Amino acid sequence: MTESVFTYAAPGLKFGRGASDEIGWDVQQLVATAGGSASRVLLVTDAGVAATGHPQRIAQAMGSNGLDVTLFAGARVEPTDASLEEAIAFARDCGPFDAVVAVGGGSSIDTAKAVNLLLTNAGELMDYVNPPVGGGRVPEHRLLPLVAVPTTTGTGAESTTICVLDVLALKVKTGISHARLRPTLAVVDPDLTMTQPAMVTASSGMDILCHALESYTARWFADFEAKRPEQRVPYCGANPIADMWSEKALSLLAGAFRRAVGDGSDREAREQMALAATFAGLGFGNAGVHVPHACAYPIAGRVRDYRPPGYPDDEPIVPHGMAVVMTAPAAFARTFEASPERHLRAAELLGADTRDTADGGSGVLPRVLRGLMRDVGLPSGLGEIGYGSDDVDDLVDGALKQQRLLATAPIDVTADDLATVFRSSLEHW
Amino acid sequence: MTESVFTYAAPGLKFGRGASDEIGWDVQQLVATAGGSASRVLLVTDAGVAATGHPQRIAQAMGSNGLDVTLFAGARVEPTDASLEEAIAFARDCGPFDAVVAVGGGSSIDTAKAVNLLLTNAGELMDYVNPPVGGGRVPEHRLLPLVAVPTTTGTGAESTTICVLDVLALKVKTGISHARLRPTLAVVDPDLTMTQPAMVTASSGMDILCHALESYTARWFADFEAKRPEQRVPYCGANPIADMWSEKALSLLAGAFRRAVGDGSDREAREQMALAATFAGLGFGNAGVHVPHACAYPIAGRVRDYRPPGYPDDEPIVPHGMAVVMTAPAAFARTFEASPERHLRAAELLGADTRDTADGGSGVLPRVLRGLMRDVGLPSGLGEIGYGSDDVDDLVDGALKQQRLLATAPIDVTADDLATVFRSSLEHW
């Protein structure tokens, strides 16, 4: 029997210039709604974001609402098990808290999710990490209200139920995933994104783009086997509500992405990118992602010495959005056959000329993607990031570990499929 | 200074055939998330819905999850202060409860909201009713988890923060409005709507339609004066997110509305109407409604002897959606000048030919509305419902009491405007 039900959930949203000035009041309301009264707040951010002064300004505004704010500026860009454990130890030492506020990119927000989980539930981090890497333990107790304040326009981490991390000893990128991790309120203030460097805008924008494209082309919710209620997951496959958000996000990206990267002071482009990123979290993220996200895990996790501009240069890193989009053109060439009309419609929303279907149409979306990647200054392929043909087997092994994601693909994905995808992604131009 | 921020909030959603079989499990999760454990559940419905057997079936399924369910089938279609007080007294007598489930139309769901409010907060019903009719008291304590299960495809009550009621002694329709009234989870099972009579489908469908049109043409959120955080309301004016939902709902209605009324067994049309209704609650309801809804309050509240088919015939009633749409053509003719492009775009989504702009375009949306009203079998105007020219002054007085709604209109609405709207709505064809 096939599925007939889809689900949808999202945090509350406050969107617009100046929205981040009111967080003290919001925290008081959220804690009151949960049956308590707010006094101590933990603010989680990273050193780069702290250098902009935004977190301190937000903490000060919360102070004028009578809240006692403890600042933790040690979130790591691309969190690891070690960096999360450090944040958790800090929070357990300095607690108890009534609420958590995260100010930063997906990394700060994800760090806050892990901290919130381990402040309210017993055990250690690895107990809760997705199997087979971790124990897959389900949180027993409710978490504290969490307000997420994104300063990069990507990821949608402010709305999702997942915390992504590298497990250092295993060189694997994995996650913790549970409905209770979802922030209570997302506060999206486009003014906070104005200082985002061009490569961060480019990379995180690609994450939005791939969220939209993968959700839109994911297996249709009704094509899965029927689930019992306890088997339902936050990501239920493409569905009418996720489709609507994906389409709107693709339109916004078509109009604003190149402009926001080309001129970071373009306020309108920044606002539209912030809106597209919000749609990623609130909307289409409920469908799920598939091949490019599965491939991104080993691409980011096995990095050797790549250091992109605009990111901390103390250690090598492949930013999440960059890792995701690298295999996207090849992945969508492979999934095209499952729903040609969706792949073509997505390309059209991105501004492609869909009449050029010499290859039966399968090349249209990959072409518009490569053009966009090149225009926003991304590396030309996995080769430039430091991978070669000899790495393909290891990359395939890493992607195959992400069975939860691959199961959302519109086709059954084999090791051979993945090898072809990685090999075609070594050099895009 | 004008506003720069908009807000958005929605309950969780489970949508699809069979979704109503799993409510016991959902209730257990929701109560656990709120920090408790579920044992006693109050199920609120009305006699007409109870006659379909759906509430009993849902109660039985919850019983197999180990829940003890108390059934209250006394919700009134179009609730009054008296009917709500009766429901509250019943619930206070039979409580305490761990959760509330509402199965029915907007009336059952709104009754459950009032019951939930007065089960968890001190005082009496009228303390919480919107001023100037009631005391406008703000609920102090959090409410119980509320699962709303709509059986009519309209209103979006499963997602909104408002409970609508008639205050009998004053012959006025008003409401209770607060963020905490919002249901926690909406379970939308299109199979439950199959037995909905044609006039109920027509009337509640018109409510969806007017929600979409009024939200879409409401004053733009950034054209209001800047608000302090404590002044923000759930309805913040038209905004990019509400627009997206409105447009999608209008497209769904254009395809399914006439079919669902003409043939109630058309499963696909029923499913699309259920989806459109869900969009009303989850999405565009965050923007707010204006002139037609303000006019609907006195039209429904001052009914004399109108009794539509498909509704309980023990007393006169103007169903909410019917009351709302009666003045919609005239209202949109009046608001056209504020945003011609939005009025024309809405008409286009409803399938109108927008090239016929002999009247400058102001008649296009009213014409497509009148055509739809006629095709689904609605009364030909306020005259057929029992009102005449002599009633216009009283109707205007009643509409003027809804200042909260009129403030959302894209123009400043005068008594003269309202008189013209009512007079033009006496006879549509």
Side-chain angles (χ1 to χ4, degrees), chain B residues 33-411:
Chain B
T33 298
S37 84
S39 132
R40 300 201 63 228
V41 177
L42 176 66
L43 192 157
V44 176
T45 189
D46 71 47
V49 173
T52 66
H54 293 314
Q56 295 82 347
R57 186 184 52 73
I58 289 169
Q60 200 168 3
M62 283 197 278
S64 72
N65 285 83
L67 297 170
D68 171 16
V69 183
T70 302
L71 188 77
F72 175 76
R76 185 182 189 279
V77 177
E78 308 293 320
T80 64
D81 49 348
S83 80
L84 293 180
E85 277 159 3
E86 190 191 318
I88 292 160
F90 175 92
R92 283 179 167 175
D93 269 3
C94 301
F97 296 102
D98 305 308
V100 182
V101 174
V103 180
S107 301
S108 293
I109 296 170
D110 279 6
T111 299
K113 290 175 189 169
V115 165
N116 194 7
L117 174 66
L118 275 304
L119 271 179
T120 48
N121 284 269
E124 297 310 317
L125 181 74
M126 289 305 293
D127 298 340
Y128 294 93
V129 168
N130 291 339
V133 176
R137 179 169 169 178
V138 172
E140 246 181 294
H141 302 291
R142 67 173 163 147
L143 277 60
L144 299 172
L146 169 57
V147 177
V149 190
T151 60
T152 55
T153 45
T155 80
E158 67 277 10
S159 314
T160 63
T161 60
I162 192 164
C163 159
V164 177
L165 69 148
D166 287 305
V167 179
L168 293 174
L170 302 175
K171 285 196 176 185
V172 64
K173 213 173 186 67
T174 177
I176 304 174
S177 181
H178 189 273
R180 290 193 185 172
L181 261 62
R182 193 192 306 279
T184 324
L185 178 70
V187 175
V188 182
D189 186 337
D191 279 354
L192 301 186
T193 70
M194 299 295 291
T195 50
Q196 186 177 255
M199 184 57 97
V200 176
T201 307
S203 177
S204 57
M206 286 298 175
D207 195 26
I208 311 175
L209 177 64
C210 288
H211 271 138
L213 291 173
E214 292 173 57
S215 287
Y216 198 59
T217 57
R219 188 175 299 230
W220 186 248
F221 77 95
D223 292 338
F224 287 89
E225 264 187 64
K227 286 182 274 293
R228 293 190 305 276
E230 66 275 17
Q231 294 174 315
R232 298 195 185 286
V233 288
Y235 307 102
C236 55
N239 63 70
I241 290 182
D243 280 356
M244 178 182 68
W245 292 93
S246 294
E247 291 178 357
K248 192 73 190 174
L250 292 171
S251 298
L252 285 167
L253 288 166
F257 197 176
R258 286 179 175 85
R259 284 163 52 210
V261 174
D263 174 9
S265 68
D266 183 333
R267 218 177 174 112
E268 195 199 52
R270 290 289 199 190
E271 190 159 323
Q272 291 188 0
M273 290 299 285
L275 202 54
T278 302
F279 288 10
L282 257 68
F284 49 80
N286 284 276
V289 290
H290 54 88
V291 179
H293 267 77
C295 293
Y297 278 61
I299 293 171
R302 306 180 71 85
V303 62
R304 295 195 186 95
D305 53 12
Y306 182 69
R307 287 178 170 76
Y311 284 84
D313 61 359
D314 50 341
E315 49 191 338
I317 185 175
V318 186
H320 177 64
M322 183 189 291
V324 170
V325 80
M326 278 298 135
T327 61
F332 292 121
R334 177 68 190 88
T335 57
F336 177 78
E337 64 177 46
S339 54
E341 68 298 341
R342 281 184 174 254
H343 288 70
L344 290 171
R345 171 75 179 140
E348 193 182 12
L349 289 167
L350 287 172
D353 183 348
T354 53
R355 288 167 308 181
D356 174 15
T357 54
D359 42 16
S362 66
V364 175
L365 182 56
R367 269 197 296 282
V368 69
L369 278 177
R370 285 197 197 92
L372 194 51
M373 289 163 71
R374 189 169 191 161
D375 289 352
V376 300
L378 284 192
S380 61
L382 291 175
E384 194 174 327
I385 293 175
Y387 294 104
S389 310
D390 293 350
D391 297 307
V392 167
D393 288 351
D394 286 344
L395 291 169
V396 169
D397 281 350
L400 282 172
K401 287 211 176 79
Q402 307 301 327
Q403 284 301 322
R404 188 182 61 85
L405 301 182
L406 294 176
T408 313
I411 53 165

Side-chain angles (χ1 to χ4, degrees), chain A residues 265-334:
Chain A
S265 68
D266 183 333
R267 219 174 173 114
E268 194 198 52
R270 289 289 198 191
E271 190 158 324
Q272 291 188 0
M273 291 299 285
L275 202 53
T278 303
F279 288 9
L282 256 68
F284 49 81
N286 284 276
V289 288
H290 53 87
V291 179
H293 267 78
C295 293
Y297 278 61
I299 293 172
R302 307 180 71 85
V303 60
R304 295 195 185 96
D305 53 13
Y306 183 70
R307 286 177 170 77
Y311 284 84
D313 62 359
D314 50 340
E315 48 191 339
I317 185 176
V318 185
H320 177 64
M322 184 188 292
V324 170
V325 81
M326 278 298 135
T327 61
F332 292 120
R334 176 68 189 86

Side-chain angles (χ1 to χ4, degrees), chain A residues 168-206:
Chain A
L168 294 173
L170 302 176
K171 284 197 177 185
V172 64
K173 211 173 189 65
T174 177
I176 304 174
S177 182
H178 190 274
R180 291 195 184 172
L181 262 61
R182 193 191 308 277
T184 324
L185 177 70
V187 175
V188 182
D189 186 337
D191 278 355
L192 302 185
T193 69
M194 299 295 292
T195 51
Q196 186 177 256
M199 184 57 99
V200 177
T201 306
S203 177
S204 56
M206 286 300 176

